[in-house]
Amino acid sequence: MSSKFEIIGDNKVKITFVISPDKFEEGIELAYKKNRGKINVDGFRKGKATRKIIEARFGKEIFYDDAINAVMPEVYEAVIDKLNLKVVSRPEIDVEEINDETGVVLTATVYTKPEVTVSGDVYKNAQYTPVSTEVTDDDIDAEILKAREQNSRMVSVERAVADGDIVTIDFEGFIDDEAFDGGKGEDHNLTIGSKSFIGDFEQQLIGANVGDDLEVNVPFPQDYHAEHLAGKPAMFKVEIKDIKVKELPELDDDFAQDVSEFDTLEAYKNSIKEKLTENKENEAKSKKEDEVLSYIIENTPMNVPEVMIENQVDQMVNDFANQIRMQGMPVEMYLQYMGQSMASLRDNYKAGAEKQVKGRLVLEAIANAEGFEVTEEDKEGEIVRIAESYNMPIDKLKEILRAQDRDGLDDDIKVNKALDFISEHAKVR
């Protein structure tokens, strides 16, 4: 198989390769079988005319396009492997020559993965700012308060409305003494201080009692989403129907038993501290890794093809779209609801995608520079981790892993080793 390539730009190459006469003949036969039922030849029923008859009537060229499309991908992949090119883009294919005796000459213009070299002085001395992982009593109290609020109950009170109360109201809004659409509600529960109503609506209810009828005067904001109401003064007729407060459970051993597996409040608090400590340590580790990697990226020159970043954006957008679909909403509807477009969504991911691509490139370079190897134990551990994350039996995962998947696992393991390495050698700013 004749093939060669030439560099025509930054990480851009032009590959010249040949589909052999035998392979081209194989493609023409495939094209004939695919199309013979679609070609009308006088004197023959569809699909009954031989290839020679069709070629004699319409010319050999009738099958060329489909023939090339049929066999070119296999030949192209073999050429890429032979030339040991790390291609990161779809090929732009041009047919240069077609000859029955010498075959088909094609060119493919592609972008390749850039060669990145990271200085040892940089990746062995990356800098970061440490963060505290100490868990305070306030942290623990805040977690306990969340649990108490989740297990609270609402109790009616016989007093005036105060900040933080939940009031049940009927209301109707008027502009220039005329009721407006969307301005009426019955048995609506409103938390005073939540700022879920416009202006100081909620504050004007403070001091009122059950059974009171109030007139609340508030202007709509100038930038209110409903243009016909924006900036206009409104008057709401409000009836106070009920006043409730959130009653929290007592903080004792019984509470600990109700909300956890522990018998005492002290044991419950200790478990919260352990969990918060683990969370803070994980957050600190992630922050350190992110800072260290950012430092290396900023101090490593590299020329990354735009297509690599766009490919990463594609992946991130697809992941997001799948998450939205799992929630029962097409991504198009979500974008419309949020006032976004696919273009703006892609723009939002662009910076993150660029950092991910550059981060992967420098970590691969570091792994190569340090000569990290992948052991069978490493592979088994990664397979176990993936199986657990997908809640899949390990044997089942091993069955469906293809050769390229296993190669990808090896690459991921090396990258993770590189990340651990630079984190271990990082210096405090």
Side-chain angles (χ1 to χ4, degrees), residues 157-353:
V157 293
E158 296 181 1
R159 58 162 174 74
V161 175
D163 193 27
D165 290 347
I166 296 93
V167 295
T168 303
I169 60 174
D170 290 346
F171 64 90
E172 185 172 15
F174 298 84
I175 292 179
D176 297 331
D177 297 326
E178 289 191 11
F180 57 86
D181 291 340
K184 186 174 182 178
E186 295 182 354
D187 294 328
H188 180 84
N189 290 324
L190 174 64
T191 299
I192 305 300
S194 65
K195 297 182 180 180
S196 55
F197 273 41
I198 61 172
D200 63 348
F201 183 103
E202 296 161 24
Q203 284 68 35
Q204 293 189 46
L205 303 186
I206 293 176
N209 292 279
V210 172
D212 286 354
D213 293 315
L214 310 174
E215 288 189 0
V216 175
N217 293 283
V218 286
F220 279 94
Q222 294 290 341
D223 59 352
Y224 195 66
H225 62 85
E227 294 183 5
H228 67 289
L229 299 176
K232 294 185 177 180
M235 184 274 287
F236 289 85
K237 293 183 178 180
V238 181
E239 178 187 354
I240 307 295
K241 301 179 74 175
D242 193 18
I243 305 170
K244 290 186 175 70
V245 295
K246 186 183 294 184
E247 187 176 85
L248 302 179
E250 291 294 327
L251 191 57
D252 52 23
D253 290 345
D254 289 338
F255 169 73
Q257 294 167 17
D258 288 339
V259 300
S260 75
E261 60 191 80
F262 301 99
D263 293 329
T264 66
L265 182 61
E266 182 180 3
Y268 175 50
K269 286 184 175 182
N270 288 337
S271 73
I272 292 175
K273 184 174 184 178
E274 290 177 4
K275 180 181 177 181
L276 291 177
T277 299
E278 181 181 359
N279 290 343
K280 285 198 171 189
E281 288 176 348
N282 288 337
E283 289 173 2
K285 180 176 182 290
S286 295
K287 184 176 182 296
K288 178 182 179 181
E289 291 173 347
D290 184 69
E291 279 194 45
V292 168
L293 192 54
S294 295
Y295 177 91
I296 297 171
I297 291 172
E298 290 167 5
N299 290 278
T300 301
M302 67 184 92
N303 190 355
V304 179
E306 185 67 20
V307 67
M308 291 186 71
I309 298 170
E310 290 300 322
N311 288 343
Q312 184 63 34
V313 171
D314 288 342
Q315 182 177 327
M316 296 167 78
V317 169
N318 287 336
D319 289 345
F320 174 76
N322 288 334
Q323 292 175 7
I324 294 297
R325 277 193 288 269
M326 288 178 65
Q327 297 173 21
M329 180 184 293
V331 69
E332 295 79 12
M333 183 182 296
Y334 170 85
L335 292 174
Q336 184 178 8
Y337 179 77
M338 298 300 294
Q340 279 191 294
S341 64
M342 184 57 71
S344 64
L345 180 64
R346 293 182 66 85
D347 285 343
N348 291 341
Y349 281 117
K350 190 71 174 287

Side-chain angles (χ1 to χ4, degrees), residues 53-118:
I53 290 172
I54 294 173
E55 288 178 338
R57 185 69 57 88
F58 299 101
K60 292 183 177 181
E61 298 82 3
I62 190 172
F63 296 124
Y64 282 1
D65 285 347
D66 283 340
I68 292 171
N69 290 335
V71 298
M72 186 273 294
E74 179 186 346
V75 177
Y76 169 76
E77 290 297 332
V79 168
I80 295 302
D81 288 341
K82 178 184 176 183
L83 297 176
N84 196 28
L85 293 174
K86 297 178 181 178
V87 175
V88 296
S89 68
R90 292 180 181 274
E92 293 182 8
I93 301 290
D94 289 310
V95 179
E96 302 294 329
E97 181 184 342
I98 300 177
N99 187 295
D100 291 340
E101 295 182 1
T102 58
V104 183
V105 179
L106 305 100
T107 60
T109 303
V110 296
Y111 284 92
T112 57
K113 181 185 286 190
E115 293 290 336
V116 176
T117 301
V118 186

Side-chain angles (χ1 to χ4, degrees), residues 388-406:
E388 290 177 348
S389 67
Y390 285 97
N391 195 25
M392 179 186 298
I394 295 174
D395 291 341
K396 179 65 176 177
L397 177 60
K398 289 181 177 179
E399 286 178 10
I400 64 176
L401 283 176
R402 301 165 299 175
Q404 57 264 45
D405 296 327
R406 293 182 180 275

